Amino acid sequence: MDGRRQRLEHLTRRWRERHDARRPSHPAARPPADPQREARAAAAFPFRTMAPAAYAERYADEMIGFTYDEVRYADPELDAWLLALGEVLRRRREAAGG
């Protein structure tokens, strides 16, 4: 791995740590999503047809900066799915050591 790639991975890992540290301790404390973000999340994620773990299994490597779980969605099914996906992604990173 070249130095640029190592630097990028280091910066990404540091960003994730800071991002995760700022997460509210309780999901209800998240601010509400704005309408555009809610629409984008509902269109982008297969929350009605695929389990969060299955989605993570398929796409986790491409989800470097997942932030969709930092806000609260009006659709309770979408909200729960995105929270679960965020948790799966965090557990995967922890298991991989980073």
Side-chain angles (χ1 to χ4, degrees):
M1 181 181 311
D2 68 20
R4 291 173 60 197
R5 181 69 181 175
Q6 286 178 323
R7 175 85 173 133
L8 177 59
E9 287 187 9
H10 168 75
L11 292 172
T12 301
R13 191 170 30 258
R14 189 174 74 182
W15 176 85
R16 284 180 180 150
E17 290 169 359
R18 290 177 178 174
H19 177 264
D20 289 348
R22 288 190 308 266
R23 293 187 76 235
S25 59
H26 194 276
R30 295 170 300 145
D34 62 60
Q36 293 83 10
R37 186 170 180 100
E38 179 117 18
R40 192 174 357 176
F45 294 100
F47 67 101
R48 297 188 198 285
T49 60
M50 182 182 268
Y55 189 84
E57 185 65 34
R58 187 175 295 173
Y59 299 109
D61 291 340
E62 289 85 33
M63 300 177 73
I64 295 169
F66 182 76
T67 61
Y68 278 89
D69 61 342
E70 67 186 18
V71 294
R72 189 175 67 249
Y73 300 88
D75 180 329
E77 188 178 356
L78 175 62
D79 191 56
W81 194 92
L82 290 169
L83 279 176
L85 178 58
E87 183 60 33
V88 169
L89 293 170
R90 280 187 294 286
R91 282 195 313 257
R92 287 174 60 97
R93 284 195 310 266
E94 290 168 6

